[in-house]
Amino acid sequence: MIGLAIAAVVVIYAIVIYNGLVRARQVKEEAWSGIDVQLKRRADLIPNLLETVKGYAAHEKETLEKVVELRNRAQAVPAGDVAGRAQAEGMLSQALGRLFALAEAYPDLKANQNFAELQQTLETIEGEIQMSRRYYNGAARDLNVKVESFPSNLVASVFKFDKAPYFEIDNPADRAVPSVKF
């Protein structure tokens, strides 16, 4: 009878652990969805921004083309590839930084109301991307702790729960302030 009670407690405990792992995985996936939404908003804003800049900085074609190329590359990364998406988005962020630095050289462009609104919207989206990234990384951390901690790691390995990658910029060059030369 005592053996049956111990077995029942172990099974109930395993169910509780399993449900905790499922909850953590769902929170991580919800958090990734939040990042994805913000990255999509940024990607949708970029063509409008580029069209505004084109009229003022037509001879800066290389910078504009690079932003378009990196935007397309970022959108082509498969949905589940967190590390690939982080790398592509980091490169896009750096190119956008060069684009805004370029705008400093064109006073008429800086004074353009449409450009100013687009720039403000992009800054807002960048802030939301950072908040979403922090939320996702927190959710990934919580899942990873459960996947690696005893005794939940036993349940995680049986049901094939994997660690979640963090959404971070790995390349130090992506963190650097862009240099713009005229």
Side-chain angles (χ1 to χ4, degrees):
M1 190 64 154
I2 293 176
L4 188 58
I6 291 173
V9 168
V10 168
V11 168
I12 290 171
Y13 190 63
I15 290 170
V16 169
I17 289 173
Y18 176 82
N19 288 339
L21 287 164
V22 168
R23 187 177 310 107
R25 182 175 56 194
Q26 292 302 315
V27 169
K28 185 242 350 156
E29 288 176 9
E30 175 210 359
W32 177 250
S33 174
I35 289 176
D36 203 38
V37 165
Q38 298 307 326
L39 294 176
K40 175 79 170 115
R41 285 182 60 207
R42 180 173 74 170
D44 290 347
L45 181 68
I46 290 172
N48 294 328
L49 185 63
L50 292 176
E51 284 302 315
T52 303
V53 173
K54 272 184 191 177
Y56 291 90
H59 65 281
E60 303 291 350
K61 186 177 179 184
E62 181 182 324
T63 301
L64 299 173
E65 287 174 351
K66 188 68 172 175
V67 170
V68 170
E69 173 196 337
L70 291 171
R71 173 188 177 260
N72 293 339
R73 192 181 307 168
Q75 288 188 307
V77 175
D81 185 1
V82 175
R85 187 74 180 263
Q87 181 182 19
E89 292 294 339
M91 290 170 39
L92 178 58
S93 291
Q94 192 173 19
L96 286 171
R98 283 192 297 274
L99 179 70
F100 284 119
L102 178 99
E104 294 293 320
Y106 296 93
D108 292 342
L109 175 58
K110 279 177 41 178
N112 179 292
Q113 182 177 354
N114 189 34
F115 179 77
E117 288 173 8
L118 290 168
Q119 186 174 17
Q120 180 60 42
T121 302
L122 187 62
E123 288 173 12
T124 301
I125 291 171
E126 291 294 335
E128 290 173 4
I129 289 171
Q130 290 306 315
M131 287 189 314
S132 296
R133 185 175 65 99
R134 282 191 295 272
Y135 179 67
Y136 169 81
N137 284 342
R141 178 202 61 232
D142 292 346
L143 175 63
N144 292 346
V145 166
K146 289 182 180 197
V147 167
E148 292 183 334
S149 298
F150 182 81
S152 60
N153 65 342
L154 301 174
V155 175
S157 65
V158 168
F159 291 101
K160 298 187 183 353
F161 282 86
D162 295 322
K163 285 179 57 178
Y166 291 104
F167 186 79
E168 57 192 359
I169 298 173
D170 290 330
N171 184 352
D174 292 340
R175 289 188 177 105
V177 175
S179 64
V180 178
K181 296 177 184 156
F182 297 101

